[in-house]
Amino acid sequence: MDIVNPVKRNVLLNPGPATTTDTVKYAQVVPDICPREKEFVNVMDEVRRELVKVVHADPKKYTAVLFTGSGTVVQDALVNSLVPANKKICVVNNGSYSARMVEIAQYYHIPCVDLKFPSTGLPDLKAVKEALDKDKYIAVVATTHHETGTGVLNPVREIGKIAHDHGCVFVADTISTYGLLPIDMEKENIDFCMSSAQKGLAAMTGASWTVGKIDEIVKSKGYPTRSYYCNLFMQYDFFERVGEMHFTPPVQTIYSLQQAIKEYWQEGELPRYERLSKCWEAVHKGMQEIGLTSVIDKKIQGKLVVTIKAPKDGKFDFFKLHDYCYERGFTIYPGKMFGLETFRLCNLGVITHKDIEDFFVVAKEAFRKMGYSIPIK
Ligand SMILES: *Cc1c(COP(=O)(O)O)cnc(C)c1O
């Protein structure tokens, strides 16, 4: 597609939505269509099949179920739908997105074992195993693949193995890794993964999905129904019988997602991962030049998010830094760590290491304006 009217390009370094291409933006501009038409059902069908392929899942065993909403809607659907009556969910919790699944369980009054670990490190696998050895009522284990709040990459393959050894279903929140890091569902021992259109695939906000095991979805038909709008089996069943979402889908977002998937394959899984790794290296280089350090050990980072410690001399003002960068086309994001002033740089979208270098030119100016000489001592 030739773009006649390019849209002002912003480099988003916040944890999603991400920077998108103009071809993805313009893919939303389509003739008005009723989503119950065969033409749209075909688009939905293609998107569902492609979403299964991205995570190398066998379409005979796994399927994609989409929901209207941001990523949290899928966390909600999986937590509320996959726990049988009188059973529990166990959340391996070392950050704010795992904590969200604990909260969802609490809102639905689902018994939940909240296995809390410090958000600056990896979960203790021995403690996970012990918790599952001890409690035979746990039927589902859930955790976050990449904690977008800190940048920590969790060992999902190992956690999934422990879950399976105990006969549990394993749910991994891959919302900020899907389409960014190569994921093979079976190799990673993941029964249900998830994502959202505005994250790694760099489409528009409004559609989210899980790729999950068909036989587990079918089993869940007999589990307590705790939500009307986002029940997993109900949505799956409608897709299988009618080929579409039970209720109105985000039509234009689905068209942009279809285009974003095409661009994903055009770039390729590994080249994309390499492009993002280079962005992440450029973030570390820029930080070092300014004299800033990361909160999380580089060795356990997912190469997508860096949480940076703000200088503790009273001169640092996040909003000054933010506004100076924002006016120049770069969006940064405050941190999510209690008791420590931080900010985050996330490289999730269609950006290159060159964008990161350009960002640091601007960031250095902002630091000088705050009264720093660079490098900061
Ligand atoms: C973005 C994200 C979510 C969903 O957050 P929304 O506010 O609903 O978009 C969930 N988990 C992770 C790991 C995320 O990065």
Side-chain angles (χ1 to χ4, degrees), residues 277-329:
S277 302
K278 272 194 197 161
C279 289
W280 176 77
E281 292 293 353
V283 168
H284 279 277
K285 184 161 170 281
M287 261 167 56
Q288 261 168 9
E289 283 168 14
I290 298 186
L292 298 167
T293 56
S294 145
V295 177
I296 307 296
D297 185 346
K298 204 174 168 192
K299 286 198 288 292
I300 61 168
Q301 291 176 21
K303 301 194 178 181
L304 299 166
V305 170
V306 184
T307 303
I308 299 170
K309 269 185 231 166
K312 274 200 285 203
D313 48 24
K315 274 192 287 191
F316 181 80
D317 181 338
F318 174 76
F319 295 101
K320 276 193 190 153
L321 175 64
H322 169 274
D323 293 356
Y324 191 87
C325 297
Y326 187 78
E327 283 157 18
R328 286 153 186 82

Short mmCIF file of all heavy atoms in Angstrom, two decimals, residues 277-329:
data_model
loop_
_atom_site.label_atom_id
_atom_site.label_comp_id
_atom_site.label_asym_id
_atom_site.label_seq_id
_atom_site.Cartn_x
_atom_site.Cartn_y
_atom_site.Cartn_z
N SER A 277 16.62 -6.67 20.21
CA SER A 277 17.79 -6.84 21.07
C SER A 277 18.76 -5.68 20.88
O SER A 277 19.36 -5.19 21.83
CB SER A 277 18.52 -8.15 20.74
OG SER A 277 17.64 -9.23 20.90
N LYS A 278 18.90 -5.23 19.63
CA LYS A 278 19.78 -4.09 19.33
C LYS A 278 19.25 -2.81 20.00
O LYS A 278 20.04 -1.99 20.45
CB LYS A 278 19.86 -3.86 17.82
CG LYS A 278 20.95 -4.66 17.15
CD LYS A 278 21.16 -4.09 15.75
CE LYS A 278 21.92 -5.07 14.87
NZ LYS A 278 21.73 -4.76 13.45
N CYS A 279 17.93 -2.65 19.99
CA CYS A 279 17.33 -1.49 20.67
C CYS A 279 17.69 -1.53 22.15
O CYS A 279 18.07 -0.53 22.75
CB CYS A 279 15.80 -1.52 20.56
SG CYS A 279 15.17 -1.17 18.92
N TRP A 280 17.57 -2.71 22.73
CA TRP A 280 17.82 -2.89 24.16
C TRP A 280 19.29 -2.62 24.49
O TRP A 280 19.61 -1.96 25.48
CB TRP A 280 17.40 -4.32 24.53
CG TRP A 280 17.66 -4.73 25.94
CD1 TRP A 280 16.93 -4.39 27.03
CD2 TRP A 280 18.69 -5.62 26.39
NE1 TRP A 280 17.45 -5.01 28.15
CE2 TRP A 280 18.53 -5.76 27.78
CE3 TRP A 280 19.73 -6.30 25.75
CZ2 TRP A 280 19.38 -6.56 28.55
CZ3 TRP A 280 20.57 -7.09 26.51
CH2 TRP A 280 20.39 -7.22 27.90
N GLU A 281 20.19 -3.09 23.62
CA GLU A 281 21.61 -2.80 23.83
C GLU A 281 21.85 -1.29 23.76
O GLU A 281 22.64 -0.74 24.54
CB GLU A 281 22.48 -3.50 22.76
CG GLU A 281 22.54 -5.02 22.85
CD GLU A 281 23.25 -5.56 24.10
OE1 GLU A 281 23.83 -4.75 24.86
OE2 GLU A 281 23.20 -6.79 24.30
N ALA A 282 21.15 -0.63 22.83
CA ALA A 282 21.30 0.83 22.69
C ALA A 282 20.78 1.55 23.95
O ALA A 282 21.31 2.59 24.33
CB ALA A 282 20.57 1.32 21.45
N VAL A 283 19.75 0.99 24.58
CA VAL A 283 19.23 1.58 25.83
C VAL A 283 20.32 1.50 26.90
O VAL A 283 20.63 2.49 27.58
CB VAL A 283 17.94 0.86 26.30
CG1 VAL A 283 17.59 1.28 27.74
CG2 VAL A 283 16.78 1.14 25.37
N HIS A 284 20.95 0.33 27.03
CA HIS A 284 22.00 0.18 28.04
C HIS A 284 23.19 1.10 27.76
O HIS A 284 23.76 1.69 28.68
CB HIS A 284 22.44 -1.29 28.14
CG HIS A 284 21.49 -2.10 28.98
ND1 HIS A 284 21.57 -2.13 30.36
CD2 HIS A 284 20.42 -2.85 28.65
CE1 HIS A 284 20.60 -2.89 30.83
NE2 HIS A 284 19.89 -3.35 29.81
N LYS A 285 23.54 1.24 26.49
CA LYS A 285 24.67 2.09 26.13
C LYS A 285 24.35 3.56 26.48
O LYS A 285 25.16 4.24 27.10
CB LYS A 285 24.94 1.94 24.62
CG LYS A 285 26.14 2.68 24.12
CD LYS A 285 26.60 2.11 22.76
CE LYS A 285 27.65 3.01 22.13
NZ LYS A 285 27.06 4.21 21.48
N GLY A 286 23.16 4.00 26.11
CA GLY A 286 22.75 5.38 26.38
C GLY A 286 22.72 5.68 27.87
O GLY A 286 23.16 6.74 28.32
N MET A 287 22.19 4.73 28.62
CA MET A 287 22.13 4.87 30.08
C MET A 287 23.51 5.05 30.68
O MET A 287 23.74 5.91 31.53
CB MET A 287 21.58 3.56 30.67
CG MET A 287 20.15 3.55 31.01
SD MET A 287 19.65 1.85 31.31
CE MET A 287 20.76 1.34 32.58
N GLN A 288 24.43 4.19 30.21
CA GLN A 288 25.81 4.24 30.71
C GLN A 288 26.45 5.58 30.42
O GLN A 288 27.15 6.14 31.28
CB GLN A 288 26.64 3.14 30.06
CG GLN A 288 26.78 1.93 30.96
CD GLN A 288 27.36 0.74 30.22
OE1 GLN A 288 27.80 0.87 29.07
NE2 GLN A 288 27.35 -0.40 30.86
N GLU A 289 26.18 6.09 29.22
CA GLU A 289 26.78 7.38 28.85
C GLU A 289 26.29 8.49 29.76
O GLU A 289 27.03 9.41 30.10
CB GLU A 289 26.46 7.71 27.38
CG GLU A 289 27.32 6.91 26.41
CD GLU A 289 26.84 7.00 24.97
OE1 GLU A 289 25.98 7.88 24.67
OE2 GLU A 289 27.30 6.19 24.16
N ILE A 290 25.01 8.42 30.15
CA ILE A 290 24.47 9.45 31.06
C ILE A 290 24.95 9.21 32.49
O ILE A 290 25.06 10.14 33.28
CB ILE A 290 22.92 9.50 30.99
CG1 ILE A 290 22.48 9.87 29.56
CG2 ILE A 290 22.35 10.50 31.99
CD1 ILE A 290 20.98 10.08 29.40
N GLY A 291 25.24 7.94 32.80
CA GLY A 291 25.65 7.61 34.16
C GLY A 291 24.49 7.06 34.98
O GLY A 291 24.44 7.23 36.20
N LEU A 292 23.52 6.44 34.29
CA LEU A 292 22.36 5.86 34.98
C LEU A 292 22.52 4.34 35.07
O LEU A 292 23.22 3.74 34.26
CB LEU A 292 21.08 6.18 34.19
CG LEU A 292 20.73 7.66 34.03
CD1 LEU A 292 19.63 7.83 32.99
CD2 LEU A 292 20.29 8.27 35.37
N THR A 293 21.84 3.74 36.04
CA THR A 293 21.93 2.28 36.17
C THR A 293 20.54 1.66 36.20
O THR A 293 19.54 2.31 36.50
CB THR A 293 22.69 1.86 37.46
OG1 THR A 293 22.04 2.47 38.57
CG2 THR A 293 24.14 2.27 37.41
N SER A 294 20.54 0.36 35.91
CA SER A 294 19.28 -0.38 35.84
C SER A 294 18.99 -1.01 37.21
O SER A 294 19.91 -1.39 37.93
CB SER A 294 19.43 -1.44 34.75
OG SER A 294 18.75 -2.60 35.09
N VAL A 295 17.71 -1.12 37.55
CA VAL A 295 17.32 -1.72 38.83
C VAL A 295 17.50 -3.24 38.78
O VAL A 295 17.90 -3.87 39.73
CB VAL A 295 15.83 -1.40 39.14
CG1 VAL A 295 15.38 -2.07 40.43
CG2 VAL A 295 15.59 0.10 39.20
N ILE A 296 17.20 -3.82 37.62
CA ILE A 296 17.20 -5.27 37.44
C ILE A 296 18.54 -5.71 36.82
O ILE A 296 19.02 -5.08 35.88
CB ILE A 296 16.04 -5.71 36.52
CG1 ILE A 296 14.69 -5.16 37.02
CG2 ILE A 296 15.99 -7.22 36.33
CD1 ILE A 296 14.23 -5.67 38.35
N ASP A 297 19.07 -6.79 37.33
CA ASP A 297 20.29 -7.38 36.79
C ASP A 297 20.10 -7.64 35.29
O ASP A 297 19.10 -8.25 34.89
CB ASP A 297 20.54 -8.70 37.55
CG ASP A 297 21.85 -9.34 37.16
OD1 ASP A 297 22.45 -8.95 36.14
OD2 ASP A 297 22.27 -10.26 37.89
N LYS A 298 21.08 -7.21 34.50
CA LYS A 298 20.96 -7.33 33.04
C LYS A 298 20.71 -8.79 32.62
O LYS A 298 20.01 -9.07 31.65
CB LYS A 298 22.25 -6.79 32.40
CG LYS A 298 22.06 -6.32 30.97
CD LYS A 298 23.30 -5.65 30.40
CE LYS A 298 23.13 -5.47 28.88
NZ LYS A 298 24.36 -5.09 28.20
N LYS A 299 21.29 -9.73 33.38
CA LYS A 299 21.20 -11.16 33.00
C LYS A 299 19.78 -11.72 33.04
O LYS A 299 19.49 -12.72 32.40
CB LYS A 299 22.09 -11.99 33.93
CG LYS A 299 23.57 -11.84 33.65
CD LYS A 299 24.39 -12.97 34.27
CE LYS A 299 24.48 -12.87 35.80
NZ LYS A 299 25.27 -11.70 36.27
N ILE A 300 18.88 -11.10 33.82
CA ILE A 300 17.52 -11.66 33.89
C ILE A 300 16.50 -10.78 33.16
O ILE A 300 15.30 -10.94 33.31
CB ILE A 300 17.07 -11.94 35.35
CG1 ILE A 300 17.06 -10.66 36.20
CG2 ILE A 300 17.98 -12.99 36.00
CD1 ILE A 300 16.35 -10.84 37.55
N GLN A 301 17.00 -9.83 32.37
CA GLN A 301 16.08 -8.98 31.60
C GLN A 301 15.65 -9.66 30.30
O GLN A 301 16.42 -10.42 29.71
CB GLN A 301 16.77 -7.64 31.25
CG GLN A 301 16.99 -6.76 32.48
CD GLN A 301 17.75 -5.49 32.16
OE1 GLN A 301 17.80 -5.03 31.01
NE2 GLN A 301 18.36 -4.91 33.18
N GLY A 302 14.43 -9.37 29.88
CA GLY A 302 13.88 -9.94 28.65
C GLY A 302 14.25 -9.18 27.39
O GLY A 302 13.73 -9.48 26.32
N LYS A 303 15.11 -8.19 27.50
CA LYS A 303 15.56 -7.36 26.37
C LYS A 303 14.44 -6.52 25.77
O LYS A 303 14.48 -6.17 24.58
CB LYS A 303 16.21 -8.22 25.26
CG LYS A 303 17.41 -9.02 25.73
CD LYS A 303 18.19 -9.54 24.56
CE LYS A 303 19.42 -10.31 25.03
NZ LYS A 303 20.22 -10.81 23.92
N LEU A 304 13.43 -6.23 26.56
CA LEU A 304 12.30 -5.44 26.06
C LEU A 304 12.00 -4.22 26.92
O LEU A 304 11.42 -3.25 26.45
CB LEU A 304 11.04 -6.32 25.97
CG LEU A 304 11.15 -7.52 25.04
CD1 LEU A 304 10.01 -8.50 25.28
CD2 LEU A 304 11.17 -7.08 23.58
N VAL A 305 12.37 -4.30 28.19
CA VAL A 305 12.08 -3.21 29.13
C VAL A 305 13.29 -3.02 30.04
O VAL A 305 13.85 -4.00 30.52
CB VAL A 305 10.85 -3.56 30.01
CG1 VAL A 305 10.67 -2.56 31.15
CG2 VAL A 305 9.58 -3.64 29.16
N VAL A 306 13.68 -1.78 30.24
CA VAL A 306 14.72 -1.50 31.24
C VAL A 306 14.14 -0.52 32.27
O VAL A 306 13.59 0.52 31.90
CB VAL A 306 16.00 -0.91 30.61
CG1 VAL A 306 17.07 -0.72 31.67
CG2 VAL A 306 16.53 -1.81 29.49
N THR A 307 14.24 -0.92 33.53
CA THR A 307 13.81 -0.04 34.63
C THR A 307 15.05 0.68 35.15
O THR A 307 16.02 0.04 35.56
CB THR A 307 13.17 -0.85 35.76
OG1 THR A 307 12.08 -1.58 35.21
CG2 THR A 307 12.66 0.06 36.87
N ILE A 308 15.00 2.00 35.07
CA ILE A 308 16.18 2.82 35.36
C ILE A 308 16.01 3.55 36.68
O ILE A 308 14.95 4.11 36.96
CB ILE A 308 16.40 3.82 34.20
CG1 ILE A 308 16.65 3.03 32.90
CG2 ILE A 308 17.55 4.78 34.51
CD1 ILE A 308 16.64 3.89 31.66
N LYS A 309 17.05 3.51 37.51
CA LYS A 309 17.04 4.23 38.78
C LYS A 309 17.21 5.71 38.51
O LYS A 309 18.16 6.12 37.83
CB LYS A 309 18.23 3.78 39.64
CG LYS A 309 17.93 2.62 40.55
CD LYS A 309 19.13 2.35 41.44
CE LYS A 309 19.45 0.87 41.33
NZ LYS A 309 20.74 0.46 41.84
N ALA A 310 16.34 6.53 39.08
CA ALA A 310 16.49 7.98 38.95
C ALA A 310 17.60 8.42 39.91
O ALA A 310 17.76 7.84 40.97
CB ALA A 310 15.18 8.66 39.31
N PRO A 311 18.40 9.45 39.53
CA PRO A 311 19.42 9.95 40.45
C PRO A 311 18.75 10.47 41.73
O PRO A 311 17.65 11.00 41.67
CB PRO A 311 20.07 11.11 39.68
CG PRO A 311 19.65 10.95 38.26
CD PRO A 311 18.37 10.20 38.25
N LYS A 312 19.43 10.26 42.86
CA LYS A 312 18.80 10.59 44.15
C LYS A 312 19.34 11.87 44.76
O LYS A 312 19.66 11.92 45.92
CB LYS A 312 19.03 9.42 45.13
CG LYS A 312 17.96 8.34 44.99
CD LYS A 312 17.87 7.46 46.21
CE LYS A 312 19.03 6.49 46.23
NZ LYS A 312 18.91 5.29 46.96
N ASP A 313 19.47 12.93 43.95
CA ASP A 313 20.11 14.14 44.47
C ASP A 313 19.12 15.30 44.57
O ASP A 313 19.51 16.43 44.79
CB ASP A 313 21.28 14.52 43.56
CG ASP A 313 20.86 14.48 42.10
OD1 ASP A 313 19.64 14.63 41.82
OD2 ASP A 313 21.72 14.27 41.23
N GLY A 314 17.84 15.02 44.36
CA GLY A 314 16.83 16.08 44.46
C GLY A 314 16.65 16.89 43.18
O GLY A 314 15.67 17.60 43.03
N LYS A 315 17.58 16.77 42.25
CA LYS A 315 17.48 17.55 41.00
C LYS A 315 16.58 16.87 39.96
O LYS A 315 16.06 17.50 39.07
CB LYS A 315 18.88 17.73 40.38
CG LYS A 315 19.65 18.91 40.94
CD LYS A 315 20.89 19.21 40.10
CE LYS A 315 21.97 18.17 40.31
NZ LYS A 315 23.28 18.52 39.74
N PHE A 316 16.44 15.53 40.10
CA PHE A 316 15.72 14.79 39.07
C PHE A 316 14.21 15.03 39.17
O PHE A 316 13.63 14.98 40.24
CB PHE A 316 16.00 13.29 39.21
CG PHE A 316 15.30 12.47 38.16
CD1 PHE A 316 15.82 12.38 36.88
CD2 PHE A 316 14.09 11.82 38.44
CE1 PHE A 316 15.16 11.65 35.90
CE2 PHE A 316 13.43 11.09 37.45
CZ PHE A 316 13.98 11.01 36.19
N ASP A 317 13.62 15.30 38.01
CA ASP A 317 12.17 15.51 37.97
C ASP A 317 11.64 14.74 36.76
O ASP A 317 11.86 15.14 35.62
CB ASP A 317 11.89 17.03 37.84
CG ASP A 317 10.40 17.34 37.80
OD1 ASP A 317 9.60 16.43 37.46
OD2 ASP A 317 10.04 18.49 38.10
N PHE A 318 10.95 13.63 37.03
CA PHE A 318 10.48 12.79 35.93
C PHE A 318 9.65 13.57 34.93
O PHE A 318 9.78 13.40 33.72
CB PHE A 318 9.66 11.59 36.45
CG PHE A 318 9.05 10.79 35.33
CD1 PHE A 318 9.83 9.92 34.57
CD2 PHE A 318 7.72 10.97 34.97
CE1 PHE A 318 9.29 9.23 33.50
CE2 PHE A 318 7.17 10.28 33.89
CZ PHE A 318 7.96 9.41 33.17
N PHE A 319 8.78 14.47 35.44
CA PHE A 319 7.87 15.16 34.53
C PHE A 319 8.62 16.11 33.60
O PHE A 319 8.23 16.28 32.45
CB PHE A 319 6.75 15.84 35.31
CG PHE A 319 5.90 14.81 35.99
CD1 PHE A 319 6.04 14.53 37.35
CD2 PHE A 319 4.99 14.06 35.25
CE1 PHE A 319 5.29 13.55 37.95
CE2 PHE A 319 4.24 13.06 35.84
CZ PHE A 319 4.37 12.81 37.20
N LYS A 320 9.69 16.72 34.12
CA LYS A 320 10.50 17.59 33.25
C LYS A 320 11.14 16.75 32.13
O LYS A 320 11.12 17.13 30.97
CB LYS A 320 11.61 18.27 34.06
CG LYS A 320 11.14 19.54 34.75
CD LYS A 320 12.35 20.31 35.27
CE LYS A 320 11.87 21.44 36.18
NZ LYS A 320 12.90 21.80 37.17
N LEU A 321 11.68 15.61 32.53
CA LEU A 321 12.31 14.72 31.54
C LEU A 321 11.26 14.25 30.53
O LEU A 321 11.47 14.32 29.31
CB LEU A 321 12.95 13.52 32.25
CG LEU A 321 13.55 12.43 31.36
CD1 LEU A 321 14.73 12.98 30.55
CD2 LEU A 321 14.02 11.23 32.19
N HIS A 322 10.13 13.80 31.07
CA HIS A 322 9.06 13.31 30.21
C HIS A 322 8.60 14.38 29.21
O HIS A 322 8.52 14.14 28.01
CB HIS A 322 7.87 12.85 31.06
CG HIS A 322 6.65 12.59 30.24
ND1 HIS A 322 5.75 13.57 29.89
CD2 HIS A 322 6.22 11.46 29.63
CE1 HIS A 322 4.81 13.06 29.12
NE2 HIS A 322 5.06 11.77 28.95
N ASP A 323 8.31 15.57 29.72
CA ASP A 323 7.73 16.61 28.86
C ASP A 323 8.73 17.06 27.79
O ASP A 323 8.34 17.27 26.64
CB ASP A 323 7.29 17.81 29.70
CG ASP A 323 6.11 17.46 30.60
OD1 ASP A 323 5.60 16.30 30.51
OD2 ASP A 323 5.70 18.32 31.42
N TYR A 324 9.99 17.17 28.18
CA TYR A 324 11.01 17.58 27.21
C TYR A 324 11.10 16.55 26.06
O TYR A 324 11.15 16.92 24.89
CB TYR A 324 12.37 17.74 27.90
CG TYR A 324 13.42 18.41 27.03
CD1 TYR A 324 13.53 19.80 26.99
CD2 TYR A 324 14.28 17.64 26.24
CE1 TYR A 324 14.47 20.42 26.19
CE2 TYR A 324 15.22 18.26 25.43
CZ TYR A 324 15.32 19.65 25.41
OH TYR A 324 16.25 20.26 24.60
N CYS A 325 11.08 15.27 26.43
CA CYS A 325 11.17 14.21 25.42
C CYS A 325 9.87 14.12 24.62
O CYS A 325 9.89 13.95 23.39
CB CYS A 325 11.48 12.86 26.08
SG CYS A 325 13.08 12.84 26.91
N TYR A 326 8.76 14.23 25.31
CA TYR A 326 7.45 14.10 24.65
C TYR A 326 7.28 15.14 23.54
O TYR A 326 6.82 14.83 22.44
CB TYR A 326 6.33 14.25 25.70
CG TYR A 326 4.97 13.96 25.14
CD1 TYR A 326 4.54 12.65 24.94
CD2 TYR A 326 4.11 15.00 24.77
CE1 TYR A 326 3.29 12.38 24.41
CE2 TYR A 326 2.86 14.74 24.23
CZ TYR A 326 2.46 13.42 24.06
OH TYR A 326 1.22 13.15 23.52
N GLU A 327 7.69 16.38 23.86
CA GLU A 327 7.56 17.46 22.86
C GLU A 327 8.42 17.17 21.63
O GLU A 327 8.18 17.73 20.56
CB GLU A 327 8.00 18.79 23.48
CG GLU A 327 6.94 19.38 24.40
CD GLU A 327 7.53 20.36 25.42
OE1 GLU A 327 8.67 20.85 25.23
OE2 GLU A 327 6.82 20.61 26.43
N ARG A 328 9.39 16.29 21.79
CA ARG A 328 10.28 15.96 20.67
C ARG A 328 10.00 14.57 20.08
O ARG A 328 10.81 14.00 19.35
CB ARG A 328 11.74 16.11 21.13
CG ARG A 328 12.12 17.59 21.26
CD ARG A 328 13.22 17.85 22.27
NE ARG A 328 13.42 19.30 22.42
CZ ARG A 328 12.67 20.09 23.22
NH1 ARG A 328 11.68 19.56 23.93
NH2 ARG A 328 12.89 21.38 23.28
N GLY A 329 8.83 14.03 20.42
CA GLY A 329 8.38 12.79 19.78
C GLY A 329 8.74 11.48 20.48
O GLY A 329 8.59 10.41 19.89
#
